Amino acid sequence: MDGGEYSISVTVLRLGHRLVRDERTSTHLGLVARAFGARELIISGKDDETAESIRRISERWGGDFTVSFSSNWRNTLKNWRKETRGPIIHLTMYGEVLDKTLPELWTMNAGAVKPREILVIVGGEKVPGEIYKLADLNVSIGNQPHSEVAALAVFLDRIYRGKELYNNYRGAKVRVVPDSRRKEIVNLSN
Amino acid sequence: MDGGEYSISVTVLRLGHRLVRDERTSTHLGLVARAFGARELIISGKDDETAESIRRISERWGGDFTVSFSSNWRNTLKNWRKETRGPIIHLTMYGEVLDKTLPELWTMNAGAVKPREILVIVGGEKVPGEIYKLADLNVSIGNQPHSEVAALAVFLDRIYRGKELYNNYRGAKVRVVPDSRRKEIVNLSN
């Protein structure tokens, strides 16, 4: 998977990462972002093992996915606007129905100076109220409580229309041989 | 959402639930199962707060989703077979490509004595090797490492073809008014 092969480049901003308590969920979020075709994860909060464990997996499984930390998500959003990198989408159970917002998203995206870039904000349990206004669109993946990890996966799956899931990742050291009966991995480093 | 409205009834078996460490991930799994149209979650492991927190949310948001614990997943699988309730699907990154297995799944399901029931096994990091043989199909949601929560969400989304996400849940006390600009909840108990 290389960002350039996609028509749309997605950056994920993970809000509300609290040390230790959120390490596992944030790691899942990062791996989902990578496996479902996003290019980059920015974690708002203090640096911990999360970035490193995602990087270790990326190195083994290939691709150009990047992870960084932001100590100030307001600045991250401001810089995104300044660079006019495309619409800011907030995934939330209170947002507008996904299938209704997708057509609007394509239109907004086409108008951006650097077109075909999207920032997806994924919160934890408590999201500051101002996020709803700072985002261009608040989008729901169902209006029921569930999981930010699932929300991100389904959003990216719809954005890329399911084509992202079985990409070849450049520089991978291992690759799975898909099999309905057994577990098989091929070592590519030799 | 009521199971009866669906053409297929899905039960999720969560393997490898370890106390405390997995509470949050298992809760996310349960909420995803409910929000994406499954009927039931069975957690293999010792009872803890997980079931209760999923039940609390179900009570507030409605529907007939049930949660239970199993102290012996082998027995759970045996009983499922004895009752011939339909195919057993193991979600794993090593499995066969999702879109290739779905047609096979429909055929298997049509042949079951109690047709239109599926057991979906979702593991944690370590899954016993015998699961690959006990399952009728090992299915991958991408052959990259990511998250069992995301895998379950995308699997159910494909099974129900995206129709599950905005159901009305019987007996709900609250309901979200989907909005792209703000957060709005309606209280239905009055």
Side-chain angles (χ1 to χ4, degrees):
Chain A
M1 182 282 324
D2 305 300
E5 293 169 30
Y6 288 122
S7 52
I8 291 183
S9 163
V10 175
T11 298
V12 177
L13 172 62
R14 193 308 192 246
L15 290 189
H17 174 75
R18 293 150 301 176
L19 296 183
V20 186
R21 180 170 151 74
D22 286 324
E23 262 192 45
R24 195 137 168 250
T25 305
S26 294
T27 302
H28 279 213
L29 261 178
L31 295 180
V32 161
R34 174 185 171 279
F36 287 79
R39 177 182 286 182
E40 185 184 5
L41 171 71
I42 303 169
I43 302 174
S44 164
K46 279 202 181 146
D47 199 344
D48 57 11
E49 289 301 303
T50 308
E52 200 39 46
S53 68
I54 298 170
R55 279 185 208 121
R56 266 198 306 273
I57 290 172
S58 293
E59 194 165 322
R60 182 168 158 81
W61 292 88
D64 301 324
F65 189 74
T66 62
V67 190
S68 59
F69 278 86
S70 160
S71 58
N72 187 326
W73 57 261
R74 284 181 190 83
N75 282 350
T76 304
L77 293 184
K78 260 186 221 159
N79 289 339
W80 182 274
R81 291 287 188 210
K82 210 182 288 172
E83 299 164 11
T84 329
R85 293 176 65 190
I88 296 176
I89 309 301
H90 174 213
L91 295 187
T92 163
M93 61 177 281
Y94 304 103
E96 182 55 275
V97 173
L98 175 64
D99 290 339
K100 283 193 192 167
T101 45
L102 281 182
E104 192 173 347
L105 177 57
W106 303 137
T107 321
M108 297 171 84
N109 202 39
V113 172
K114 276 197 189 178
R116 301 186 168 283
E117 291 201 44
I118 296 176
L119 182 71
V120 179
I121 302 177
V122 182
E125 281 163 42
K126 302 275 179 199
V127 172
E130 63 186 293
I131 288 289
Y132 290 85
K133 286 174 186 161
L134 289 171
D136 295 302
L137 284 177
N138 293 279
V139 178
S140 70
I141 313 299
N143 294 124
Q144 297 290 322
H146 55 88
S147 162
E148 59 267 38
V149 178
L152 180 63
V154 171
F155 179 77
L156 291 173
D157 192 53
R158 296 290 178 84
I159 286 277
Y160 293 128
R161 299 181 175 85
K163 288 176 193 160
E164 80 294 341
L165 276 174
Y166 296 94
N167 287 302
N168 286 316
Y169 284 69
R170 191 161 54 188
K173 292 173 183 159
V174 286
R175 188 169 54 81
V176 166
V177 182
D179 194 305
S180 66
R181 311 299 307 160
R182 66 187 67 77
K183 180 171 170 175
E184 195 182 345
I185 299 187
V186 180
N187 200 326
L188 304 172
S189 344
N190 302 326
Chain B
M1 183 279 328
D2 306 299
E5 294 169 31
Y6 289 122
S7 52
I8 290 182
S9 163
V10 174
T11 298
V12 177
L13 172 61
R14 191 312 190 243
L15 290 189
H17 174 77
R18 293 150 302 176
L19 296 183
V20 185
R21 179 169 151 74
D22 287 323
E23 263 192 44
R24 195 137 169 250
T25 305
S26 295
T27 302
H28 279 213
L29 262 177
L31 296 180
V32 161
R34 174 185 170 279
F36 287 78
R39 178 183 285 183
E40 185 184 5
L41 172 71
I42 303 170
I43 301 174
S44 165
K46 279 205 181 143
D47 199 345
D48 57 11
E49 291 300 304
T50 308
E52 200 40 46
S53 70
I54 298 170
R55 281 187 206 119
R56 266 198 305 274
I57 289 173
S58 293
E59 195 166 321
R60 182 169 158 80
W61 292 88
D64 301 324
F65 189 74
T66 62
V67 190
S68 59
F69 277 87
S70 160
S71 58
N72 187 326
W73 57 262
R74 284 182 189 83
N75 282 347
T76 304
L77 294 184
K78 263 186 217 157
N79 289 337
W80 182 274
R81 292 284 189 212
K82 210 182 289 172
E83 299 165 12
T84 329
R85 293 175 67 188
I88 297 176
I89 309 302
H90 174 213
L91 295 186
T92 163
M93 61 176 280
Y94 304 103
E96 182 54 275
V97 173
L98 175 64
D99 290 340
K100 283 193 192 168
T101 46
L102 282 182
E104 192 173 346
L105 178 57
W106 302 138
T107 321
M108 300 171 83
N109 202 39
V113 173
K114 274 197 189 180
R116 301 185 167 284
E117 290 202 45
I118 295 175
L119 183 71
V120 179
I121 302 177
V122 183
E125 281 161 42
K126 302 274 180 202
V127 172
E130 62 187 293
I131 288 289
Y132 289 84
K133 286 175 185 160
L134 289 171
D136 295 301
L137 285 177
N138 293 279
V139 178
S140 71
I141 314 299
N143 293 124
Q144 295 291 322
H146 55 85
S147 163
E148 60 266 41
V149 178
L152 180 63
V154 172
F155 179 77
L156 292 172
D157 192 54
R158 296 289 178 85
I159 286 278
Y160 293 128
R161 299 179 175 86
K163 288 176 190 160
E164 79 295 341
L165 275 174
Y166 295 93
N167 288 302
N168 285 316
Y169 284 68
R170 190 162 53 189
K173 292 174 182 159
V174 286
R175 188 168 55 79
V176 166
V177 182
D179 194 305
S180 65
R181 310 299 307 161
R182 66 188 66 77
K183 180 172 170 177
E184 195 180 345
I185 299 188
V186 179
N187 199 326
L188 304 172
S189 348
N190 302 328

